[in-house]
Amino acid sequence: MEVIITSDYEEMSRISAELIAQEIRYKHDIVLGLATGDTPVGTYQELIRIHKEEGLDFSKITSFNLDEYVGLPPLHPNSYNYFMKENLFNHVNVNPANIYVPQGHIEDPEHFCFWYEAQIQKAGGIDLQVLGIGRDGHIGFNEPGSSFASRTRIKALYKETIEDNARFFSHQDDVPRFAVTMGVGTILEARKILLIANGEKKADIVAEFIEGPVTSQITATALQLSKSATVVLDQEAASKLKRTEYYNWVRDNKHLVQKKVGR
Ligand code: F6R
């Protein structure tokens, strides 16, 4: 796992957006996995800037979002469908036919989950999966105890997740108790993974998932099993890591390795 520690939220967003942009430039018809939440908002804003000012072309990309609340229609302002339109899709030249966000307001969610997995396979699998992390260590809505083999399915949300997400709703009781989420197994099949995290409230879980043992109790530790995972953090989220000096040395001397192995 490559760990990049940045000075603040702005630099974290700039670097993660540049990593995504590089992948889009390299493969125009890339399949992206996308996350919602506070963390990637700055990254999406920077991607929009790169699109507008530098012509980054989204027209051939396909994207699959990680999750959606069960019960919220796509036009609900707290739905992740709405979030993605507001924060990215409405501002870049994506083809709406190639945009997939799980639907939470449907009669047969289980059937939907099978269909969603099949669409990911049909698209050739995810090239780059973008992730945030919950305070309980979740990726997507894979709450503690989720199997590392899990696929897209309905998951009951953990108490901490409901509390954290209550800020977007008028009352905590309005926060849906269930979500459709890609599984840990689905996420692990991505060819590359980029997890971003910021703020002091993520410091404990960031240290645990990067430097602690692999456990389904902290589903983000599954990234230790990924073929290619990069974590971009701000100073605060990185503050409880023990091997900071090593990560910074690798970051500053990466060019030495890249010269030897190429891209
Ligand atoms: C959202 C998602 C979640 C969030 C996580 C962090 O699509 O999959 O795992 O990434 O809950 O949320 P924020 O960024 O709001 O702290």
Side-chain angles (χ1 to χ4, degrees):
M1 206 181 319
E2 183 182 3
V3 180
I4 300 175
I5 301 168
T6 64
S7 50
D8 53 19
Y9 182 79
E10 280 66 39
E11 197 191 9
M12 176 200 81
S13 303
R14 203 158 22 80
I15 289 183
S16 48
E18 190 45 47
L19 290 173
I20 299 167
Q22 267 172 25
E23 296 297 323
I24 297 175
R25 288 189 202 106
Y26 181 75
K27 188 177 179 199
H28 292 234
D29 58 350
I30 189 168
V31 180
L32 292 175
L34 297 174
T36 60
D38 283 342
T39 314
V41 170
T43 302
Y44 294 153
Q45 280 170 0
E46 180 61 12
L47 279 173
I48 294 166
R49 189 201 64 73
I50 300 175
H51 164 69
K52 295 207 159 122
E53 292 177 14
E54 299 170 25
L56 183 66
D57 182 15
F58 287 79
S59 66
K60 297 199 172 59
I61 72 147
T62 298
S63 74
F64 289 91
N65 260 80
L66 282 165
D67 41 22
E68 177 59 286
Y69 291 116
V70 169
L72 294 195
L75 291 178
H76 191 290
N78 288 333
S79 77
Y80 288 169
N81 278 266
Y82 187 87
F83 173 99
M84 286 311 297
K85 285 199 179 115
E86 288 287 301
N87 288 286
L88 183 66
F89 299 150
N90 284 350
H91 311 283
V92 294
N93 63 333
V94 287
N95 176 354
N98 295 338
I99 297 304
Y100 297 83
V101 182
Q103 298 301 313
H105 194 63
I106 40 173
E107 266 180 31
D108 189 349
E110 296 211 352
H111 178 262
F112 175 82
C113 294
F114 284 113
W115 177 86
Y116 202 68
E117 283 281 333
Q119 300 318 300
I120 295 175
Q121 296 308 320
K122 247 168 92 178
I126 292 173
D127 293 303
L128 174 64
Q129 175 67 56
V130 178
L131 298 173
I133 182 170
R135 276 195 305 140
D136 63 3
H138 69 220
I139 47 175
F141 274 135
N142 292 288
E143 299 289 35
S146 296
S147 160
F148 283 7
S150 52
R151 316 300 308 187
T152 303
R153 69 207 183 292
I154 309 296
K155 194 73 196 162
L157 301 182
Y158 202 59
K159 193 171 142 280
E160 257 175 22
T161 305
I162 293 170
E163 283 165 11
D164 283 349
N165 291 359
R167 66 190 191 279
F168 300 113
F169 294 81
S170 334
H171 302 287
Q172 188 158 315
D173 289 348
D174 296 340
V175 184
R177 263 36 187 179
F178 296 92
V180 183
T181 180
M182 276 187 205
V184 182
T186 321
I187 293 170
L188 272 184
E189 278 172 14
R191 292 177 192 97
K192 287 188 180 179
I193 296 179
L194 169 64
L195 185 146
I196 50 183
N198 68 289
E200 203 209 318
K201 65 179 195 295
K202 300 283 174 74
D204 285 316
I205 200 67
V206 161
E208 280 189 80
F209 104 82
I210 295 175
E211 296 176 340
V214 174
T215 167
S216 66
Q217 294 306 309
I218 300 174
T219 53
T221 61
L223 266 61
Q224 295 181 30
L225 307 173
S226 158
K227 289 184 283 279
S228 173
T230 302
V231 182
V232 182
L233 305 167
D234 75 348
Q235 212 53 265
E236 289 180 347
S239 60
K240 301 218 166 135
L241 288 168
K242 293 200 185 78
R243 301 192 172 83
T244 310
E245 216 177 293
Y246 173 71
Y247 307 135
N248 289 341
W249 187 90
V250 174
R251 180 189 171 180
D252 294 342
N253 293 280
K254 221 168 117 186
H255 57 285
L256 300 176
V257 182
Q258 279 171 339
K259 259 193 198 139
K260 292 197 172 68
V261 297
R263 185 177 189 277

